Amino acid sequence: MPPHLSADRPAAQPPGRGSVDALITQTRQLKGDVDAVRRDTQSDAADPQERWQRALCDLALHQLNDLDEHLAQLRDGPSPASPAPAAPPADRAVPPAPRRGSLLSRVGSAEWNLLTDEASWSGELYEILGRDPAAPPLTLDELPSLVLDEDRPKLTAMVTDCLIDAKPIDGEFRILRPDGEVRTVHMMGEPVLDTDGSTASMWAVLRDVSELRRSQRTVSETRDSLQRHRHHAQSERRLAVELQEAVLPPWRGSLRLPHQGPKTLDLAARHLSSSTSALIGGDWYDALELADGATLLSVGDLTGHGVAVASGMATLLGAVRGMAMAGTQPGQLMSWLNQLLDATVQPALGSAVCCRYRPETRTLTWAQAGHPAPLLFRDGTGRRLDTPDGVLLGATSGAVYAQAEETLEVGDLLLLHTDGLAPRHTGADSVNRLLDLAPRFGGAHTAQDCVRLVVEEFGESEREDDACVLVARVLS
């Protein structure tokens, strides 16, 4: 590997894609040059120097393959890991040992003469195995003493196949160094045959691949962790969506209330999902005919995203429905809703507006908790209703919520919404944009037409948060 690519170089800014592509091109050109030299060297050459030259070319090609793979990962990002190819044999001339932590491997060589029972090791092999350079090299019978118990059968089988059946050695095993450190070693070698065809000696290249394998495990574990996180997020989203669909009103499109007798309200609503978050938020809308003939209208938003927030939203919406059905007025309802949220195990903040409409008097009684006020459109103009006092739900214990009344007229249009309706706009700006729709609302025939106008104005894409809009049109 060129010096400027060494892992020992001080940390620098990550290269751009063009720089990485250039490095990949250079690496592949170098691989071609080395491979050309390798092809000119006979694999069964009698000259040991030529045989070792070919082994060194094999090692260089393997190192360049590693570099090519890592550069591709740097350019393309994490991809499914594949097993690393086995390291080829190396030359007797051993490159300088890299510092600890480098992906470049220490490479040592050894030869065992079976006729004289002599062994010779390179100095680098002593470094790899943690042996004293003054000590004699280990024989083939002694070599397994350095290997972990569970890996010894693998080494024994490789050596036996090489000596008896003249099979090349190509495999990995773990050694325990005298300092107690476990290292992973890749061994590749061949038998050297005598004139009568028997095995006279065996040479091998041993490569310390500990850092490379550790790096590969890290990449693999990181990829697996990302996959688990992605799967968890997908499962959580599915659950949150199912919970949301189960809780929000069963009607879709438009609704007219009351169910029995003359219709007094034309209703339509829409839930708009975030385009930037994979998780579901806590926005809701609701319209419900109450036991005394009144109609409940509400929208709200619980902060956060995910299953826990969707579950909290379901709890709040269920409480709103239950208390409204029991006749609780909006101001008191908000106080109890705040108390409920304050008592939950997981603290959260929420905003809501709750309206109770009595059709016989066309009176709207409403309260809010840190939420945008309803907008009233009449005769081609729009205005925001005067807001009674009310803090965010869960912000403080014992909060008191005021309520206000408004008398509506036939043809009036009431619009309730949550904060995320207008992406990249402040609350005042989004309200003004809604009020500017008054002339177009005047030409709409149904509440559903009005909801479509709102969606057209604010869109469904590039939304940072979930949002809801609810429109109620007074019919009589």
Side-chain angles (χ1 to χ4, degrees):
M1 179 181 290
H4 66 282
L5 297 181
S6 171
D8 300 326
R9 183 179 176 86
Q13 293 298 319
R17 185 182 179 91
S19 301
V20 176
D21 284 336
L23 289 173
I24 291 175
T25 299
Q26 294 174 16
T27 301
R28 292 176 180 175
Q29 289 174 345
L30 184 57
K31 283 167 59 179
D33 295 340
V34 174
D35 191 48
V37 175
R38 177 181 178 276
R39 286 195 300 269
D40 291 337
T41 306
Q42 299 297 320
S43 60
D44 56 350
D47 183 0
Q49 184 63 33
E50 190 171 0
R51 188 173 72 238
W52 285 103
Q53 182 180 4
R54 180 183 175 86
L56 183 58
C57 288
D58 287 339
L59 177 61
L61 283 173
H62 179 74
Q63 294 280 22
L64 289 170
N65 283 332
D66 283 351
L67 177 59
D68 194 359
E69 179 182 346
H70 284 292
L71 287 172
Q73 289 180 348
L74 177 62
R75 179 191 62 189
D76 301 330
S79 60
S82 57
D91 198 318
R92 292 179 187 271
V94 179
R99 296 178 186 175
R100 178 67 180 277
S102 170
L103 288 179
L104 288 176
S105 306
R106 287 190 171 97
V107 181
S109 60
E111 187 163 0
W112 290 274
N113 190 315
L114 304 181
L115 302 179
T116 64
D117 201 26
E118 294 177 340
S120 62
W121 285 8
S122 69
E124 187 64 24
L125 184 56
Y126 280 93
E127 293 261 354
I128 293 173
L129 302 181
R131 301 280 296 175
D132 181 357
L138 298 180
T139 66
L140 283 176
D141 291 334
E142 296 170 331
L143 187 61
S145 65
L146 303 179
V147 180
L148 296 187
D149 291 345
E150 53 267 36
D151 289 356
R152 284 178 187 170
K154 184 190 305 183
L155 174 62
T156 301
M158 289 191 298
V159 172
T160 301
D161 289 344
C162 179
L163 298 181
I164 295 179
D165 299 325
K167 292 182 179 181
I169 290 177
D170 187 355
E172 292 183 5
F173 50 87
R174 291 165 297 167
I175 64 163
L176 179 63
R177 291 162 50 101
D179 59 8
E181 184 180 11
V182 175
R183 306 293 288 177
T184 301
V185 176
H186 185 275
M187 182 176 183
M188 196 166 189
E190 292 181 355
V192 178
L193 303 182
D194 205 347
T195 53
D196 61 358
S198 62
T199 302
S201 63
M202 188 189 84
W203 62 266
V205 172
L206 290 92
R207 178 185 178 206
D208 184 348
V209 295
S210 304
E211 303 300 337
L212 179 60
R213 296 296 174 257
R214 185 177 293 111
S215 174
Q216 290 172 338
R217 285 195 300 271
T218 300
V219 171
S220 176
E221 290 168 0
T222 302
R223 186 190 69 249
D224 293 344
S225 177
L226 289 172
Q227 290 175 342
R228 287 194 299 271
H229 178 75
R230 194 175 297 117
H231 177 72
H232 176 75
Q234 291 171 347
S235 300
E236 185 173 354
R237 177 176 174 81
R238 284 195 299 269
L239 180 57
V241 169
E242 292 173 0
L243 182 58
Q244 184 186 67
E245 291 178 347
V247 172
L248 289 180
W251 53 274
R252 296 293 184 267
S254 60
L255 172 70
R256 293 198 171 189
L257 294 177
H259 294 293
Q260 304 297 326
K263 309 304 180 186
T264 60
L265 285 181
D266 175 25
L267 299 156
R270 187 74 166 272
H271 180 277
L272 303 173
S273 298
S274 166
S275 60
T276 61
S277 175
L279 300 178
I280 295 297
D283 293 64
W284 85 78
Y285 66 86
D286 196 21
L288 180 66
E289 183 180 355
L290 303 176
D292 61 0
T295 298
L296 169 71
L297 304 174
S298 71
V299 296
D301 179 14
L302 191 63
T303 56
H305 295 83
V307 174
V309 171
S311 177
M313 178 268 289
T315 300
L316 291 183
L317 183 52
V320 169
R321 289 171 175 170
M323 289 187 284
M325 191 64 75
T328 306
Q329 292 300 305
Q332 183 62 61
L333 189 151
M334 287 295 177
S335 296
W336 287 347
L337 207 60
N338 178 68
Q339 187 175 345
L340 174 64
L341 193 58
D342 187 53
T344 57
V345 176
Q346 291 184 328
L349 293 175
S351 69
V353 61
C354 181
C355 305
R356 189 181 186 94
Y357 177 68
R358 296 193 298 275
E360 65 275 8
T361 60
R362 298 198 193 97
T363 302
L364 183 78
T365 305
W366 69 285
Q368 64 82 32
H371 199 89
L375 304 182
L376 177 61
F377 296 85
R378 177 183 294 167
D379 298 331
T381 62
R383 66 180 176 88
R384 184 173 62 178
L385 297 185
D386 293 334
T387 306
D389 292 337
V391 298
L392 284 170
L393 298 172
T396 181
S397 301
V400 176
Y401 295 84
Q403 62 185 36
E405 283 194 1
E406 189 76 26
T407 301
L408 304 184
E409 298 177 3
V410 175
D412 282 354
L413 188 135
L414 193 70
L415 187 150
L416 285 67
H417 68 95
T418 57
D419 277 329
L421 182 61
R424 298 180 301 278
H425 289 275
T426 62
D429 189 24
S430 62
V431 168
N432 290 334
R433 289 185 62 190
L434 283 168
L435 293 176
D436 289 341
L437 294 175
R440 298 169 65 185
F441 285 160
H445 298 292
T446 66
Q448 180 68 13
D449 291 338
C450 296
V451 169
R452 289 195 189 99
L453 289 173
V454 173
V455 174
E456 289 173 4
E457 177 68 20
F458 294 107
E460 293 187 83
S461 60
E462 298 182 1
R463 183 175 302 283
E464 297 178 358
D465 200 359
D466 292 18
C468 289
V469 57
L470 171 65
V471 171
R473 183 166 165 263
V474 180
L475 298 177
S476 61

